[in-house]
Amino acid sequence: MRQAIRFPRAMSIILGAALAFFTLPMARANALNSDEQKCINTLHKNVQKVSAAYGKALSSCMKAYAKGVSQQSDMAACMQDDAKGKIGKSTQKALDGEISHCDPLPNTLASSAFENNLTVLSKELDTIEILFGSDVPILTGTNKGAAKCQGKIVKDVLKCQGSKLKEFNKCTKAELKVGGGVAEVQACLTGLSSNDKVAKACDKILLDITKKCSDKGVDLTVAFPHCNSNNDETVTDCLEIPLECGVCQALNTVARLNIDCDSFDDGTPNASCAFGNFLALTYNVAGLPDPLSDSTPSIFTPIISPLLNGYDLVLVQESWQTPDPNPLAPLRVYHELLVADAHHPYKSEPAPLPVGNDPNRPSALVSDGLNRFSQFPFDPVVREAWTSCSGVSENGADCLAFKGFSVARTTLAAGVIVDIYNLHMEAGNAPEDVQVRDESVTQLSAFLNAFSVGEAVIMGGDFNLNSDTEPAASQFQTLLSTTGLTDVCAFLACPEPGRIDKFLFRSSDTLTFTPTSWNFETDVFMTDDDQPLSDHDALAVRFDWAVTPPAP
């Protein structure tokens, strides 16, 4: 079994003092103020509390299953049922804590409480799979020994997880107090492997697998079938390594860190933690000036802005930055309102408006309107305009803009790269529009096959292709066949295959994407009186990703 590496205590104190001496001046230069520290500490503490609430719900469900009295079809459903209301109280307290202590949210070391709650839920569901495998075979009273074993080890795993979160928070609070920044907080995470309190809590897993399971005659292949072993240490590693991975991934999100979780979980870059998921959104926000838009962006854009925080990756169309000075005044556009309450750490720089001054398209008043918000770092955005357009005052008036596509090479985790495309295709149904879309499909395919050769790809946007009718269906199929992309809607057999807002994806030899959900967020992007916030619905897709392990 993997052993924690510990320095002798005296040496740890000496090394710690030396490190503090050499790093303190730089840390103080970048120190967060007291309000920022309070916000970060509050958010992190509430993550710990929300996680504990989910853990208690899981333990209660285990007891109900063991007694054969659970009314739920599976463990995840039982846990989220929140019979005692503790999850609801803790998640609401986390949201209230952000309102009370985070105005504004710091640009570093903090995610919104809303996102933190989603992260905890995701990782608690992962914990169920860590413990029992994907089929969650919970034992009932028909096998009391194995059921008791499961119940005890569940508690041990949750205590191990809770100890890691608690000690990380203590360390982070102390580092921030003396002027520490991202590097010092990352060291808090990596330092958990040598933390005595964490070791004491987590060592209980092996002790109890032996004492409460093996010594009681429990068949470990029955209690934990996905581990496929009756060896105590092998089963312990089967549970501990994914747990390490999950804590690392969660804290990377919660604290905006960039730890290589694949090496962190077991000390080896072996793809044992090279997996994850993210929720992506594509949304045409209809951000033309009010008199020209099919929506009311001056009113609706500030409402949309904070709602974007619920998504890890956001691709928007028709969002332009108002120039300063503004030659179009009193007309304006609204991207600066869209970013105002969106807390993603990585945002694209909008392309400047040409306002009729670009000789390549003198009719264009606005640029591509393609922008992105991301929890993942990305390289500089590459923007490509369609080579042709149709219409100034008719056929969708596409020549008033530099419609096209953009791409940015995005890092999901250390060494995990995907090319993410955002596009807005020609509107209108006149023969000229159909011809432009034909040319655009050819242009996009040629670019992607050169720029993204061998790379995994995610593509979202407003395709303006009702792909259940002709000629759009043929154009769409040409795009798929020439690029190797797959339509998420088709992959998941969605109920509305012809919608023009779409997500496509392509795996690579080393990175596999699997869409797991597809949904138009009509219940989210809506006013209190049930008005949609744009003339398009926002499409959300959750992607699982996994790195292909290297050959042995």
Side-chain angles (χ1 to χ4, degrees), residues 219-487:
D219 186 342
L220 297 180
T221 64
V222 173
F224 306 102
H226 71 294
C227 293
N228 196 32
S229 175
N230 254 317
N231 180 275
D232 295 358
E233 292 189 352
T234 299
V235 173
T236 300
D237 278 345
C238 172
L239 303 179
E240 278 193 339
I241 292 173
L243 182 65
E244 290 268 289
C245 164
V247 169
C248 179
Q249 290 179 331
L251 293 179
N252 264 352
T253 300
V254 167
R256 300 285 178 239
L257 305 179
N258 192 31
I259 299 294
D260 177 4
C261 295
D262 185 35
S263 294
F264 173 83
D265 66 346
D266 61 358
T268 305
N270 55 2
S272 57
C273 191
F275 62 89
N277 67 79
F278 60 89
L279 187 60
L281 188 83
T282 180
Y283 194 16
N284 185 323
V285 296
L288 285 167
D290 272 351
L292 304 176
S293 177
D294 290 325
S295 181
T296 313
S298 63
I299 296 174
F300 292 158
T301 305
I303 302 174
I304 293 172
S305 180
L307 299 176
L308 301 181
N309 293 319
Y311 306 87
D312 303 300
L313 170 70
V314 178
L315 305 176
V316 294
Q317 303 85 44
E318 293 194 13
S319 188
W320 298 276
Q321 183 90 17
T322 305
D324 184 20
N326 180 14
L328 301 177
L331 294 179
R332 61 162 298 179
V333 280
Y334 308 97
H335 186 72
E336 57 271 23
L337 301 182
L338 193 68
V339 303
D341 293 312
H343 301 312
H344 300 75
Y346 305 100
K347 303 180 179 75
S348 60
E349 286 292 330
L353 304 190
V355 292
N357 293 321
D358 193 314
N360 295 311
R361 188 170 296 173
S363 60
L365 299 179
V366 294
S367 50
D368 59 19
L370 302 173
N371 284 292
R372 63 188 64 203
F373 305 75
S374 177
Q375 302 296 351
F376 311 106
F378 52 81
D379 291 353
V381 175
V382 177
R383 298 177 184 271
E384 293 286 323
W386 304 125
T387 54
S388 59
C389 63
S390 172
V392 174
S393 59
E394 73 289 326
N395 296 344
D398 292 285
C399 292
L400 292 177
F402 265 107
K403 281 187 176 181
F405 62 90
S406 67
V407 58
R409 191 148 287 169
T410 302
T411 301
L412 300 180
V416 181
I417 305 297
V418 57
D419 287 347
I420 296 180
Y421 285 76
N422 184 14
L423 64 82
H424 192 183
M425 296 188 79
E426 178 89 5
N429 296 307
E432 298 89 342
D433 300 313
V434 175
Q435 177 62 32
V436 170
R437 282 195 291 272
D438 269 337
E439 296 170 2
S440 299
V441 167
T442 300
Q443 179 185 347
L444 176 58
S445 298
F447 180 95
L448 186 148
N449 289 333
F451 184 88
S452 299
V453 60
E455 298 290 348
V457 171
I458 299 290
M459 180 181 291
D462 177 357
F463 286 72
N464 273 316
L465 291 171
N466 291 108
S467 50
D468 53 354
T469 62
E470 290 294 349
S474 294
Q475 292 174 322
F476 188 54
Q477 289 303 315
T478 296
L479 176 62
L480 299 179
S481 63
T482 56
T483 59
L485 293 166
T486 298
D487 180 16

Side-chain angles (χ1 to χ4, degrees), residues 132-164:
F132 307 112
S134 57
D135 295 330
V136 195
I138 308 302
L139 300 171
T140 65
T142 58
N143 192 332
K144 292 183 179 180
K148 287 182 179 180
C149 162
Q150 284 185 336
K152 179 58 181 174
I153 302 309
V154 165
K155 288 184 179 179
D156 289 346
V157 167
L158 293 173
K159 285 181 180 179
C160 174
Q161 176 179 273
S163 176
K164 291 175 186 291

